[in-house]
Amino acid sequence: MDVSVVRALAAPDGQELLRSLPPYSEGSVLTLQDQLRSAGHTPELAAAALTQQRLRARATAKFGEFAADMLFTPDGLEQATRLEVAVAHAHRFSRASLATVHDLGCGIGADAVTLSSLGVTVRGVDSDPVTAAVADANLRPWPDSRARLGRAEDVRFGVDPGRNRVGAWLDPARRTRGVADISGRTRRTFRLDDISPSWDFVQQVAAAVPATGVKLSPGFDHAAIPAGTEAQWTSWAGDVVECALWWGPLVMRRGRTARVMGADTAPVVVDESMADDVARLAGSLADIGPWLHDVDKAVIRAGLVGAATRATGGVESDEGTGYVLASRDVSLPYTRRYAVHEAMPFHVKTLRAWLRTNGVTGLTIKKRGVRLDDEQLRRDLRIGTKAGSGEQATVVLTRVGGSPTALVVSPA
């Protein structure tokens, strides 16, 4: 797809064409392609329309009903900020009473669209021509907001951005141009030194524009957090989707924070004031209580497992596992709680004997802090995933006090 095709799809006739397509079905693609060509559409436009039909079907998981009016690229959709997370970003800028936000590396415009919907004028740039054109098309309901082809490094913010209510949002590319995986998507990079624009440039923008935010990899190093900023790790349905850094008036709680989000729950924020400086650790199996808390991964990434140990009076099973063992009956909105029924040193023969003695024929395996192959373990245990005529059990394999341990649990 080139820029001219993007513009054709964004035009009224192109939008009417996209709306006329039936729900996406892999089996009907060739038939639809023939029909579109017979109706007089060029092969390029027909192929692009069908690609958009497929991408819109995928995009519903991120954008809900809004996906039906947006354009996408495969890489752009994969990297785009989920709608609910973009709303959280936009509210920071809106609360700071900013009039204009420069979206540097705007991608397909997910954040730009959300900002615009809150009344903030967006000036977006992206270094890829097709991506910039797609973002500009997605911004068409807000005529004051635009996206154009350009380099983040070439953007000028005007005189005294703070006084003139100007902000900046950066989403540096975290993919290696020209290096693709087997599906044709460019490969991810997890090194801070490899992002584009560079980390040095991000910090230069933050020095020039007081209201600056940047979206980074969840693997962002705590040691690299600039003084006075807020580094917030965000999870959606248990998966960590980003670490965002905020400067100046966009900071809500300084230091490391975690934002836990999901489809059916209200967002929860955990910060350093809620946590022990260092999570207390278990010393042995004697520290295992009746409850196990599986701490949300955003809280783990933010280094705030100490919030769970403080709230429960418990201990982390071992450093970095994110499993908190507790005797106190407490529910937390950022953990998944399990009742512990049995605890034993982890040996295949010992666990296999316990499963046989208790009539367990179906097993769910959760693990953290131990390295093993699930399928090989199942072969060694001689057990599958479904119970059949026997009992079903869940086993957590982790370290407790440095020793491999098996905990038989059930959701509480």
Side-chain angles (χ1 to χ4, degrees):
M1 187 166 68
D2 60 25
V3 171
S4 65
V5 173
V6 174
R7 290 172 178 161
L9 288 174
D13 288 348
Q15 288 297 295
E16 183 178 349
L17 168 62
L18 290 172
R19 285 192 291 269
S20 72
L21 297 176
Y24 179 75
S25 170
E26 190 71 37
S28 66
V29 170
L30 293 179
T31 300
L32 270 174
Q33 193 168 41
D34 289 340
Q35 291 174 353
L36 292 176
R37 290 182 179 182
S38 297
H41 298 293
T42 65
E44 293 79 12
L45 185 62
L50 293 173
T51 296
Q52 290 305 310
Q53 180 197 36
R54 173 174 57 84
L55 292 175
R56 283 180 170 184
R58 285 175 45 199
T60 301
K62 273 190 174 182
F63 297 100
E65 62 185 18
F66 295 100
D69 292 318
M70 296 177 69
L71 298 181
F72 301 97
T73 66
D75 274 355
L77 174 56
E78 184 175 341
Q79 297 171 53
T81 305
R82 172 179 287 276
L83 177 63
E84 295 87 349
V85 179
V87 168
H89 296 163
H91 275 298
R92 293 209 187 222
F93 289 101
S94 179
R95 285 174 69 257
S97 298
L98 298 177
T100 303
V101 170
H102 292 270
D103 189 346
L104 310 181
C106 63
I108 61 170
D111 282 291
V113 164
T114 311
L115 279 163
S116 298
S117 71
L118 293 183
V120 179
T121 298
V122 177
R123 299 283 179 259
V125 296
D126 198 277
S127 60
D128 178 74
V130 171
T131 302
V134 167
D136 198 49
N138 287 335
L139 287 167
R140 61 188 179 278
W142 301 276
D144 290 340
S145 293
R146 298 299 303 269
R148 62 178 177 82
L149 176 65
R151 298 171 67 247
E153 294 87 345
D154 296 332
V155 171
R156 298 294 176 263
F157 304 103
V159 178
D160 199 352
R163 183 181 296 274
N164 290 306
R165 299 165 59 207
V166 173
W169 171 246
L170 299 95
D171 187 356
R174 295 186 295 279
R175 289 187 175 273
T176 307
R177 290 188 181 276
V179 181
D181 62 18
I182 193 170
S183 64
R185 292 190 296 269
T186 51
R187 289 183 181 172
R188 287 180 185 272
T189 178
F190 296 98
R191 287 168 42 85
L192 188 61
D193 291 342
D194 292 339
I195 64 172
S196 178
S198 70
W199 176 233
D200 282 344
F201 176 76
V202 170
Q203 294 180 91
Q204 290 170 21
V205 171
V209 183
T212 291
V214 59
K215 177 181 174 180
L216 298 167
S217 162
F220 184 71
D221 187 353
H222 291 186
I225 300 173
T229 63
E230 178 182 356
Q232 183 167 90
W233 282 260
T234 297
S235 65
W236 177 265
D239 291 328
V240 188
V241 295
E242 69 175 28
C243 172
L245 255 64
W246 305 99
W247 280 262
L250 304 180
V251 172
M252 298 177 71
R253 312 183 193 191
R254 288 189 180 184
R256 291 172 283 112
T257 67
R259 185 177 181 88
V260 179
M261 304 180 71
D264 302 317
T265 57
V268 175
V269 176
V270 180
D271 64 37
E272 292 183 50
S273 72
M274 302 163 63
D276 295 326
D277 291 338
V278 178
R280 296 184 296 274
L281 301 179
S284 68
L285 267 66
D287 292 316
I288 298 173
W291 308 105
L292 179 143
H293 289 261
D294 183 355
V295 180
D296 186 89
K297 292 177 183 176
V299 179
I300 297 173
R301 287 278 194 174
L304 297 173
V305 174
T309 58
R310 178 190 292 183
T312 62
V315 292
E316 190 174 13
S317 69
D318 205 20
E319 187 174 4
T321 64
Y323 287 136
V324 170
L325 308 168
S327 299
R328 191 184 304 167
D329 186 357
V330 178
S331 294
L332 299 173
Y334 52 88
T335 72
R336 185 173 182 185
R337 189 172 64 143
Y338 295 86
V340 179
H341 304 295
E342 192 78 31
M344 66 194 85
F346 173 54
H347 302 289
V348 171
K349 289 184 179 179
T350 302
L351 181 56
R352 186 170 62 215
W354 187 93
L355 296 171
R356 184 173 59 250
T357 299
N358 288 272
V360 175
T361 55
L363 191 64
T364 299
I365 299 172
K366 292 172 60 68
K367 65 180 188 294
R368 197 177 295 152
V370 294
R371 291 187 178 183
L372 51 83
D373 180 80
D374 284 13
E375 293 308 313
Q376 182 59 52
L377 176 61
R378 289 187 182 281
R379 288 191 290 269
D380 293 340
L381 294 173
R382 301 166 196 164
I383 197 167
T385 57
K386 296 183 179 180
S389 59
E391 297 294 325
Q392 184 78 30
T394 298
V395 64
V396 173
L397 303 177
T398 188
R399 301 187 313 272
V400 176
S403 300
T405 302
L407 305 172
V408 181
V409 303
S410 62

